[in-house]
Every structure is written in structure tokens, then in C-alpha cells.
Amino acid sequence: MARDKITKASVKRFLGYAALVFFALVFILPFVLTIVTSFKTLPDIQQNPVRLWADPKYGWTLDGIRGLNTSNVRLPRWAFNSVVVTVSVVAGRLFFDSIAGFALAKMRFRGRRAVFGFVIVVLAVPGVVLLIPKFLIMKELGILNTYAGLILPLMFDAFGIFLMKQFFEQLPDEMLEAAAIDGATTWQIFTKVALPLAAPALIALTILSTAGVWNDFMHPLIAVPGNPDLQTLPLGLANIRAAFGQAQPWNTILAGTMLATLPIAIIFFIFQRYFVQGLATSGTKG
Amino acid sequence: MVAKDEASTEIDRPRRNRPLLPRRRSRTRSASRSENALGWIFTGPVVFGLILFVAIPILLTVWVSFRDWNGFVSPFDTPYIGFENYSKLLFEAGIRQTDFARSIRNNFYYVIGVVPMQTTLALVIAVILNKTALKGKGFFRTAYYFPSITSSIAVTLIFVFMFQTQGAINAVLPFGNINWLDNANGLIHNALGVIGVHQPPAWAAGIEFMGLTLWDWFAGPSVAMFAIMMLVTWTTTGTMMLIFLAGLQSIPPSVEEAATVDGAGPFQMFWRVTIPMMRPTIYFVVMLGLIGTWQVFDQIFATNFGGPRKTTITPAFWIYFQSFRNSEAGLGAAIAILLFGVIMIFAFLQRCIIKSSGEL
């Protein structure tokens, strides 16, 4: 009886592992293939599209990486633009979203409900619908094909406001009142008391925004249509196949995708503890 | 007694009308006025930004959809044409109507393929990850979630590489070399071909709706669209899985223990306990999927740019194409409004369902 139970449990465990490993391979192998292919030669890629090791006949090569800095394919430039845009937008969002979230959560002012209602309505608007008029507004403001055009429209983000408001609402009023009684101004209460306590929410907002902005394709597509100098990584990569015409140097194309993914991957692996922690605290009771 | 008195006054004080950040003279008029001003100083910039980049654009989309605008000149100089853009899309026979019908058909097949696939896969993975007493759960969770945080364009390029005729997918699959990305054949047509139906029956070829024959309407997703559906499912499943995991962890363990005591096997447990307990989360994930899949754009742009033979055009892509490549921004705006309507219907449904399931 007891032995029966043990074998049953171990079969179950084996099946569980087998399923998990299978799915993990499905999810991870394309990335492994991408990395390996970036360092293969073109004939090798054509002959062995699945092999996770360079054919010794052809050997490894850095041609793929070298192909990323030419007149058509300007990965360093795209990466620079992506960094400028991502850093500016995330910094702006952290600032605007936290002050607005704080005001909506903890301050009483006329129109507060209306402002929050407006934020919720905006949250529901699908981005696709805004393509054309966003272009028009950027044109009218004269920020089309500029960094301002890439950055400003992304900076105002209803989701972040909502996130920060939800978080600030959890802070006990007594704590803020105590600071007020000690003579702190609202600004001091916000910067010295509320913000430090909001660190987890700010980290979450930073991670989500960084990934979102770094990977965003649609906005740069319409914001800088006439200025190749301002293309970001997704925009440059989306056009990379066209840049090569008929020949498709997949080692270069995949090296580009690999390098574009790398920064986000690093951030993800450093901060994933916060994802896992968030999940853990939300209930691993069982 | 004094302490009790203080406590009761604390409770009796009407919380709502009290400013939450009392200044030392919080009850005076000047204080509340300054709180008003401060509130607006704090929220003003984002309100202004959201009005400029979201609210005005929505109204502009509606306004432009009634104009004959090519996207280059100022729309304020263009003629008002009433519902002409809409009727070109919906009622007048012609290439505009046929293309719009194609985009709706393609996206519809995409939605009814991707939403069940990503939901089921995510749920199954989440249940396995949650239930079994395995080590290395963190690693697996990371592996499954990773594709979700990568750039849609980068992931699309990886899939284009793998789905080439001489690519990894064909090398792994035992069917011989399929030309995935340039294949406009519908999957349902292909399936009918297997049982010997290669030509449309007369009734299916004869009846037309919005410029497409019934045969065309029931083509199924093209092989190229199917490849895109695989790609998207692979990318989004991780996010859905995380949502399911959070939901699974909120099921009280006592419920499952009770079911085990009553002799439920793993499959009974899944169908009779897990699925019913997870119903609100499943609704949420499905609705999230519906709203997202009706907006597919990046993957369409980076794989085939709507080809082959327009079998991967979608309304979102067609808005972009008509507005920025075909110089019919007025028409593009009308497509945007129609798509907005479709998405709003699903968003509204989601809200209703969440509300009703929240009250349970």
C-alpha cells in the first residue's frame, strides 16, 4: 500500500516535470536559437536552421553583429534613441503619475471625482483609435519628427496614475496626519513620507513602463515618419528586412533582435524577484 | 471614561468631509482653498496631457471621419462629406468595402483562434505550476513569462525566421516544406480540400456579402495568418498564466482538501473545483484577450504587411495603411471609429461581467 502510494506520487511528479520542461523548451528555445543563429554564417543558417551549434565546416562568425552598423542598419543610433526616449518617458511618468496619484488618493479638492473618472475613461480607450489624430496633433504642435514628439505623448499615462492612486490609498491617513501636525507642508508629506513608502509601487511602475516604452512600436511609427535619425529599436528592426531587399542576412537581423531584447532581459532578470515576491505575498498560503 | 469619549468622537467625526491632510488651521476657508489649488497643481499636468493626447484625438477621429481628408493638408480645409466614409466601408460595393470585410473576416478568425488557445494553454500551465509539489517553480514561471516582456517586433522577426520555407518549423514538423508566410489558402479551404472539395459549391460562390462570397467568408484564417496566431499565442500566454496563478492562489486550500477527502481525482478536481472557482478570472482573461486581439497591429506590420493577398490585413492595420500609405485618412478614421465600437462592446461586456461576478 505504502509503496503503491510512493510510486503513484513519483509518477505524478515525473509527469508534472515533463510537462513543465516541455513548455519551458517551447518558450525558451526560440530565444536560444536566435542567439546561436546571430553567430552563425549565412550558408550554415540556410543548411541547418534548427541546429543549436555552428557547423564546424563553417564555424562561428561576428559578421551578424558587424552588419548592424551600416548606412541602412544603424543599431547603435536606434539604441541611443531608445535609451533617450525610455529614460525620459519613464522619469516623466514616475513624476506625473505619483503626484497625480497622491492628489487623487489623499487630497480633497473640488473636481477630484471628475478627474479620476476622466482617468478611468481614458484608460479604456484603445491606442489604435488614436493613431491618426495623434499624428495630426503632433503636426500642429510642430513636434513631429522630433524627440519631443517621441517622448511627450507617451508621458501621460492613465494606467500609471491609477496604479499610484490605488497604492497611495493603502497608506494610513494617520501617518500623513502626524506629519502634518508636526508642521510638514503637503509637498513635504508627499516627498518625505508618502513617496518613500511607495517604493514598491514605483518599482513596479518603472519596470512596466520601461518594458512598455522600450518595446513600443506604434507610437514611434507615426511620430517620426520622416526622420531616420530618430528611429527607435523596434521601428528600425521592423524595417530591417526591407532594408536588405531580397537577401535576408538572418544572422544580422537576429543579432539585432537579440541586442534589442538584451537590456529588457537584464532588467527582467534583476527585478523579477519583485514579480515573484508580489505573487508570493498575494497568497502562497496553500 | 475620558479615553472612551475621545475614541467615540474620533469615530463620530464624519470622515468624508474632513480634509485628509489637515493644515494646522484645517477648518478655515483659506486652507480648503489652498487644498483645492494644490490638488489641481498636482493633477493639472496629467489632466492637460491626457486631454491633449487622448481626449482631443478621440473627438478629432470622429470629426475627421466625416471629412474627405488625405492626411497631408490641414483637415480644417477639407470638405464635409457626411457619412460617405462609413457608407463606402459598409454599404457601397467596391474595393473599400471588400477590403474592410476582409479585415474583419481575418481579425475574426484571429480572435476565435488566439483567445481560446492562449486562455487554455495559460490555464493548463498555471494549474500544473500551482498544484504539483515541484522544485524550480520560479525558474519555470520566469521562462513562460519571458516572451511576454520582449518586443513584439523582435519576437515577430524571430518567428518569421523560424516559419520560413527552409526554416526551423518545417525542419521540425513532419509535413514537408510548407510555405507558411506567403500562403493565402484558408485553413478551412485546406481542410475541405483533404476531403475532396476544391471548388466552392454553387450556393457558396453565388451569395455575396460586402463584396466577399460566402466561400471567401468561410475560408478560415490563411496559413500566413495561422503562423501569426501561433506567434501571438506564444507571446501572450505568459501574461495570462501570471493572472491565472494569482487567481489559483486565492482558492482556499480547504476547498481542495474537502474535494480530495470526498475522493475527487485530478481531472474531477480540475473540472468540478478549479474551473468553477476560477470563473471570474477566466472571464477576465478572455475579455482581456478579446480586447487585445481586436487591435493586432505590430505583428501584421512586421511579417507580411497585410499580405499574402490581403489575408492578414486587420482593421487596426487597415487604419494605418489607408491613412498613412494610401492617403485616405478620413476613411482610416471611419475604420477607427467602427473598430472602437467593436472594442467598446467587449469592454462593456467585461465591465458587466466583472461587476456581476464581484457581487457573487
Side-chain angles (χ1 to χ4, degrees), chain A residues 20 108 110 139 215 241 272, chain B residues 36 40 72 142 144 303:
Chain A
L20 290 184
R108 294 276 169 264
R110 200 162 295 158
K139 201 168 153 188
N215 293 333
R241 284 200 301 147
Q272 59 148 326
Chain B
N36 260 335
W40 278 102
F72 295 118
T142 308
Y144 305 147
T303 40

Side-chain angles (χ1 to χ4, degrees), chain A residues 252-263:
Chain A
T252 298
I253 297 171
L254 292 183
T257 69
M258 180 186 72
L259 291 175
T261 310
L262 201 62

Side-chain angles (χ1 to χ4, degrees), chain A residues 97-111:
Chain A
D97 293 352
S98 56
I99 56 170
F102 180 74
L104 288 173
K106 292 294 181 193
M107 290 164 75
R108 294 276 169 264
F109 60 97
R110 200 162 295 158

Side-chain angles (χ1 to χ4, degrees), chain B residues 121-139:
Chain B
L121 196 57
L123 182 60
V124 167
I125 294 179
V127 167
I128 298 174
L129 206 53
N130 191 50
K131 278 218 174 132
T132 35
L134 303 173
K135 290 197 171 148
K137 280 185 186 178
F139 164 78

Side-chain angles (χ1 to χ4, degrees), chain B residues 44-111:
Chain B
V46 288
V47 169
F48 175 75
L50 290 176
I51 287 175
L52 187 61
F53 292 114
V54 184
I56 293 179
I58 291 238
L59 299 177
L60 268 179
T61 311
V62 177
W63 185 74
V64 161
S65 74
F66 293 113
R67 312 223 136 218
D68 182 17
W69 179 43
N70 63 12
F72 295 118
V73 298
S74 165
F76 301 98
D77 302 335
T78 55
Y80 170 81
I81 55 167
F83 283 91
E84 201 175 298
N85 285 323
Y86 291 95
S87 81
K88 264 188 203 164
L89 293 169
L90 296 173
F91 307 116
E92 283 169 34
I95 186 76
R96 305 280 169 274
Q97 187 198 41
T98 314
D99 284 345
F100 182 64
R102 277 198 188 102
S103 73
I104 294 286
R105 175 199 62 181
N106 298 340
N107 210 340
F108 176 74
Y109 283 122
Y110 173 89
V111 169

Side-chain angles (χ1 to χ4, degrees), chain B residues 302-313:
Chain B
T303 40
N304 275 330
F305 211 70
R309 287 199 273 133
K310 294 186 178 169
T311 58
T312 62
I313 64 174

Side-chain angles (χ1 to χ4, degrees), chain A residues 17 20 24 26-27 34 50 108-110 124 126 132-133 137 139 173 177 180 183 186 215 241 250 261 272 276 283, chain B residues 18 20 22-23 35-36 40 52 57 61 72 134-135 142 144 149-151 158 164 171 234 249 302-303 323 344:
Chain A
Y17 270 123
L20 290 184
V26 169
F27 281 85
T34 302
V50 221
R108 294 276 169 264
F109 60 97
R110 200 162 295 158
I132 301 163
I137 283 179
K139 201 168 153 188
D173 292 337
E177 277 163 15
T186 306
N215 293 333
R241 284 200 301 147
W250 280 106
T261 310
Q272 59 148 326
V276 178
Chain B
R18 183 173 56 124
L20 278 166
R23 240 140 292 282
E35 180 125 340
N36 260 335
W40 278 102
L52 187 61
T61 311
F72 295 118
L134 303 173
K135 290 197 171 148
T142 308
Y144 305 147
I149 58 131
T150 52
S151 141
I158 295 173
Q164 290 175 97
W234 181 80
Q249 286 168 356
T303 40
S323 310
M344 276 300 109

